[in-house]
């Protein structure tokens, strides 16, 4: 029994750190792509490729943190939440878990497509610039379609998880209500031409991740009994 409690505590702590780390991945990606990288206006596609090649290490770091590291941390968080809801796993939670697993695969796939695709574009620019331009556009399409152009899958995960949390009173009610807002915004990004929806989803989910992470860390320290961990 002592080992079980110890393992649960370790998992809760790992999940809490992972959730906060996911929020920091959002921050790091924003700093890199909107702060440190400032692509000049008016560049054609070839000029954009050249600019990215000049800052390749920074670009690779952004995609590595924002997609690959994020995906690894998401896997840890999903495992933690499975333990948190283990006592009474509802059909709704299991459905949320399905969407969480799909989101995990999409994030990892997007990061690998972005990194490998960009490297292939750089190589082709030396021998076949026209093919490189076509590949660059294809790579952008796949990365956006899989990894963030529409946040439907991530939104459904947060929404269903929050509804399940409200039903079972796992964490703070306010946290779950925020999750409903986050999930709703993610689903609404299917209207991808509406401005600021993605930004609103990202910002509110960042806050949600931090709050969820703190809640898990508090439970691991024995300061709350909301996680249902005996």
């Amino acid at each position: 029994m002592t080992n079980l409690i110890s393992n649960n505590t370790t998992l809760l702590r790992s999940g809490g750190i992972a959730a906060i780390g996911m929020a920091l991945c959002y921050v790091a990606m924003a700093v890199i792509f909107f702060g440190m990288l400032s692509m000049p206006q008016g560049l054609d596609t070839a000029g954009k490729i050249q600019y990215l090649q000049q800052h390749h290490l920074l670009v690779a770091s952004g995609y590595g943190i924002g997609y690959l590291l994020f995906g690894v941390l998401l896997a840890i968080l999903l495992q933690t939440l499975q333990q948190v809801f283990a006592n009474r796993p509802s059909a709704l939670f299991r459905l949320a878990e399905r969407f969480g697993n799909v989101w995990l695969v999409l994030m990892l796939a997007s990061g690998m497509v972005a990194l490998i695709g960009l490297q292939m574009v750089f190589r082709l620019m030396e021998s076949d610039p026209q093919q490189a331009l076509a590949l660059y556009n294809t790579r952008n399409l796949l990365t956006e379609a899989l990894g963030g152009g529409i946040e439907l899958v991530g939104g459904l995960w947060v929404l269903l998880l929050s509804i399940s949390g409200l039903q079972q009173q796992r964490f703070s009610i306010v946290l779950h209500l925020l999750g409903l807002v986050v999930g709703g915004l993610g689903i609404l990004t299917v209207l991808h031409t509406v401005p600021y929806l993605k930004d609103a989803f990202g910002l509110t989910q960042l806050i949600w991740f931090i709050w969820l992470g703190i809640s898990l860390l508090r439970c691991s320290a024995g300061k709350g009994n909301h996680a249902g961990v005996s």
Side-chain angles (χ1 to χ4, degrees), residues 73-93:
L73 295 175
L74 176 58
I76 296 171
L77 180 59
L78 288 172
Q79 185 64 38
T80 302
L81 292 174
Q82 185 182 64
Q83 180 63 48
V84 168
F85 285 81
N87 291 343
R88 291 178 296 167
S90 65
L92 197 60
F93 171 75

Side-chain angles (χ1 to χ4, degrees), residues 20-59:
I20 295 172
M22 291 165 73
L24 294 178
C25 286
Y26 276 4
V27 173
M29 200 173 183
V31 169
I32 291 173
F33 286 108
F34 300 109
M36 300 174 73
L37 290 172
S38 181
M39 189 173 293
Q41 296 292 324
L43 290 179
D44 59 8
T45 304
K48 292 177 182 178
I49 293 173
Q50 185 178 13
Y51 179 85
L52 293 175
Q53 191 167 16
Q54 291 171 351
H55 301 85
H56 180 229
L57 183 59
L58 199 56
V59 173

Side-chain angles (χ1 to χ4, degrees), residues 9 12 14 36 47 67 72 75 101 105 119-120 145 148 153 160 170 172 177 184 196 199 206 214-215 222:
T9 299
L12 286 168
S14 299
M36 300 174 73
Y67 289 92
V72 171
N101 289 330
V105 172
Q119 190 62 42
M120 292 180 66
V153 178
L160 294 172
R170 290 298 177 176
S172 163
L177 292 177
Y196 305 119
D199 297 334
L206 186 153
I214 292 172
S215 297

